[in-house]
Amino acid sequence: MSAGAAAGAECRWTACPECRVPQFEEHFREASRICPVCGHSARLGARERLAALADPGSVHALEAAEVAHDPLGFADTRPYPERLRAARQDTGLEEAVLCAEVTVHGRPAVLAVMDFAFLGGSLGCAVGERITAAAEHALATATPLIVVSASGGARMQEGALALMQMAKTSQAMAQLDEAGLLTVSVVTDPTYGGVAASYATLADVIVAEAGAHMGFAGPRVIAGTLGQTLPDGFQTAETLLAGGLVDDVVRRGQLRPVLARLLGAASWARDGRPVPAAWRETRPELVRDPDQVPGAGGDPWQAVALARDPGRPTTLDYAACLLDDFRRLRGDRVAGDCPAVVAGLGSADGVPIMLIGHQKGHDTRELVASNFGMATPAGFRTAARLMTLAGKLGVPVVTLIDTPGAYAGVEAEAGGQAHAIAANLRLMARLPVPVVAVVTGEGGSGGALALGVADRVLALSNAVYSVISPEGCAAILWRDAAAAPAAAAALRLGAADLLRHGVVDAVIPEPAGGAHHDPALTGRLVRAAVTATLRELIALDPGALLAARHRRYRRFGAGVPAPPPGEPTVSSERSRA
């Protein structure tokens, strides 16, 4: 037999579990078991997953403590010890999880990877001990923890002791929260039961691999016990994303760079919060004299029209200008994902930034899809969740305000709209990191302020900011919608008046004709203003930041200048009404 024939005889073939097309096993394995024909991601073993995520040569296994292997003396059709021996022989693993110190693109992490092939990735005493020990090692070394889950649930053969592992591992995750250490959960297919109801969903960031399924009860259990017909896409990664239960859905080949980006954000504060040299040389165009604001003294109603122009850049547009590598994070982990709020992590010249902003759109389709920039409670809770994460990691927060107001529909009221806004105001008042807010267009009512409690508030020169829209004010006080221009003048909602009253700290001049005439230049102007402002704030310790922020908001309403004589005020119009 020739050498070529011998090599061919030794080739092992496999088939894609989805499309059934035959593949060379070696090639399939080298491609991380992603089918080149249909794109399906087949299940990976723990060793394969570890190799795919960690830098080569960086894996240092963590020691595992001994636990009771058969605490109940359990037997079904086979004794439990016999099942364990078979699982170890079949997988080459001691248990259903591998834990190691690794680096991902040079960033250190503790990585715990589950293997579904080992008794369905079930959570028993040994798995719970290993996950907990990995979290404790992360705590001791001040290292982020990444858990890759694949499990059918708690291990039945260990009874209530398996159930207790849910509490044990959740307690370990809470210790990492208290220490300010990043935790990331990578949900792979499948993730169910006790694992889904403990550490897999307690992480700061939950990334679902494309094609994954996650839930507490599996579809067969639900259909069999309750007789319910399950909807299409039930418990899929994409459905979980739309429901606000995971931050992102990522294809297998992109998991490693996504994790590296998160690890990079987590390391910045621990590296001493370095400020890039480029920021020290930035000289932004900021106006601090109300009389020098472009358009000062002009028609306020015209300013409203400019602020609402659909051509103005949106938060997603600004994200591309402000940040070098923005990655959107989504969902409130309770009720949904709000299209009117865009949030995520990125960096500017190496400084990580949590960017959160209202999202409108440039045409009718986009405006409808984003609910015209009117956030639901889910949007405000998503913002709160990610601001809390920024505070935990020591990462600055930048918010972009552009909304006619919070959504006032029945669903929003039933979902606790007022509670969600109030919670954000309290949270932002005590957030221990620099916060910069920029009013980029329309700042409407509490829906705007829910992202606006900041150390510095900037506004574009054609932006407006008010307690109510001119139309709403006219309808209530003038009882005439046609009085909206008069209401706009009375509300003093333009950038010059906002600066005069100290509502904003500085104004960013827009290009001639407005931001929509040169969005690229507008983006550069906003980036320069934001980075220069952050440069000042990063130097302050959290105590000084919080004290100054408290003083900023404490002074409002004390000694506010009266409007010039002869001009109507909202209060005088109310008394006439």
Side-chain angles (χ1 to χ4, degrees), residues 180-219:
L181 291 169
L182 174 70
T183 55
V184 182
S185 171
V186 179
V187 174
T188 72
D189 191 58
T191 296
Y192 283 107
V195 170
S198 58
Y199 53 87
T201 51
L202 289 177
D204 297 313
V205 179
I206 304 175
V207 177
E209 184 177 67
H213 292 72
M214 181 175 73
F216 182 59

Side-chain angles (χ1 to χ4, degrees), residues 194-514:
V195 170
S198 58
Y199 53 87
T201 51
L202 289 177
D204 297 313
V205 179
I206 304 175
V207 177
E209 184 177 67
H213 292 72
M214 181 175 73
F216 182 59
R220 283 187 295 179
V221 172
I222 295 172
T225 59
L226 300 178
Q228 293 182 346
T229 301
L230 305 180
D232 291 339
F234 184 67
Q235 296 178 328
T236 63
E238 292 72 19
T239 301
L240 295 168
L241 183 66
L245 298 176
V246 301
D247 287 272
D248 204 357
V249 175
V250 180
R251 292 195 175 277
R252 182 172 293 170
Q254 290 300 308
L255 279 173
R256 194 157 166 257
V258 166
L259 293 176
R261 210 173 285 173
L262 292 170
L263 294 172
S267 69
W268 176 77
R270 296 181 182 278
D271 291 342
R273 300 190 298 181
V275 177
W279 286 21
R280 299 190 182 94
E281 300 166 4
T282 302
R283 297 292 180 267
E285 296 184 34
L286 286 173
V287 178
R288 302 184 189 276
D289 181 350
D291 295 327
Q292 299 301 313
V293 173
D299 179 6
W301 187 237
Q302 179 62 28
V304 172
L306 284 171
R308 294 172 173 173
D309 192 292
R312 293 178 76 83
T314 67
T315 291
L316 283 173
D317 297 325
Y318 282 115
C321 300
L322 286 172
L323 303 176
D324 304 319
D325 51 1
F326 177 71
R327 186 85 191 189
R328 189 172 178 181
L329 302 175
R330 297 168 61 172
D332 67 349
R333 302 273 179 87
V334 178
D337 177 47
C338 175
V341 172
V342 165
L345 269 171
S347 63
D349 300 311
V351 176
I353 291 173
M354 185 69 78
L355 181 68
I356 304 169
H358 300 102
Q359 178 68 16
K360 283 187 177 178
H362 299 303
D363 54 35
T364 302
R365 179 185 59 81
E366 291 181 353
L367 286 165
V368 170
S370 65
N371 202 30
F372 295 86
M374 297 183 292
T376 64
F380 294 122
R381 289 176 182 134
T382 298
R385 181 174 70 81
L386 294 177
M387 286 190 281
T388 301
L389 174 57
K392 175 182 177 179
L393 301 181
V395 170
V397 173
V398 174
T399 66
L400 304 180
I401 297 168
D402 186 15
T403 179
Y407 182 58
V410 173
E411 306 93 333
E413 290 301 312
Q417 185 71 285
H419 297 71
I421 292 171
N424 275 27
L425 303 183
R426 179 175 60 186
L427 171 65
M428 295 188 78
R430 304 304 298 164
L431 206 59
V433 293
V435 183
V436 177
V438 185
V439 187
T440 61
E442 189 177 12
S445 191
L449 187 60
L451 300 186
V453 181
D455 301 298
R456 299 284 188 277
V457 181
L458 312 177
L460 286 171
S461 54
N462 288 316
V464 296
Y465 199 2
S466 177
V467 67
I468 193 171
S469 70
E471 294 91 341
C473 182
I476 295 170
L477 301 182
W478 276 261
R479 299 187 182 180
D480 181 2
L491 287 166
R492 301 186 179 281
L493 43 61
D497 280 315
L498 295 171
L499 185 58
R500 186 172 289 110
H501 288 285
V503 174
V504 303
D505 300 289
V507 173
I508 306 168
E510 296 182 29

Side-chain angles (χ1 to χ4, degrees), residues 67-73 80 123-129 154-169:
V67 299
H69 292 299
D70 186 15
L72 305 184
Y80 178 40
L123 173 60
C125 293
V127 171
E129 178 62 29
R155 191 168 294 178
M156 292 177 286
Q157 294 92 337
E158 297 185 16
L161 290 173
L163 190 67
M164 293 304 108
Q165 304 310 308
M166 295 170 62
K168 175 178 173 178
T169 54

Side-chain angles (χ1 to χ4, degrees), residues 46-47 64-67 69 80 83-85 87-98 115 118-119 126-127 130 155:
R47 287 197 178 91
E66 284 292 321
V67 299
H69 292 299
Y80 178 40
R83 289 190 182 276
L84 280 174
R85 283 193 295 273
R88 288 168 179 156
Q89 183 175 350
D90 291 344
T91 64
L93 302 175
E94 279 298 305
E95 254 299 340
V97 66
L98 286 179
D115 196 317
F118 193 106
L119 295 181
V127 171
R130 283 164 166 78
R155 191 168 294 178

